[in-house]
Amino acid sequence: MADLDEHLIRAAQHGDVDALTTLVADSHPTVRRFARTLCATPEDAEDAAQEALIILYRKIGMLRATSALTSWMFRIIRNECLRRARTVLRDQPLVPDTAPSAEDEALRQLEAQAVAAAIAQLPADQRSVLI
């Protein structure tokens, strides 16, 4: 993307559909490669790259300097990868929903009995503070 013709970028900014199509097509390999380095999964990388190219297509006219195209695209990709990672983390439960096994329950009861026995051996004033 760094060697894209400034004339091509300016033409795309002024609504030249052919220039914009060429710009998107020329940017695609670099955008995909960068997305693969940032996103957690190949699927997220492909989706982030597509999102970046869609934003490029829709908002190229808002770009102030033609030299900022590469950093603008990379920022879009980074933000999209972060958004996808946050979504995955938000959707995952913090505590597993599985019930404890019989072995886990037996170990928990043994530990509870050991703690209760240790507390019973404490002097009355320490036991009352702890309880």
Side-chain angles (χ1 to χ4, degrees), residues 49-126:
Q50 289 298 321
E51 185 65 27
L53 293 172
I54 290 168
I55 290 172
L56 169 66
Y57 191 83
R58 288 182 182 164
K59 298 185 178 185
I60 186 72
M62 297 175 66
L63 185 65
R64 292 186 188 143
T66 57
S67 60
L69 178 67
T70 302
S71 61
W72 183 52
M73 293 298 295
F74 288 164
R75 190 170 49 251
I76 292 168
I77 294 166
R78 184 198 68 208
N79 290 344
E80 186 64 19
C81 289
L82 288 172
R83 186 188 68 75
R84 290 176 177 283
R86 281 188 214 108
T87 301
V88 168
L89 291 174
R90 184 181 60 233
D91 292 344
Q92 290 180 348
L94 296 177
V95 178
D97 292 340
T98 60
S101 67
E103 180 183 13
D104 290 338
E105 185 60 30
L107 290 173
R108 189 194 63 74
Q109 287 179 0
L110 287 172
E111 287 174 358
Q113 290 172 356
V115 170
I119 290 172
Q121 292 178 355
L122 290 173
D125 57 336
Q126 291 178 355

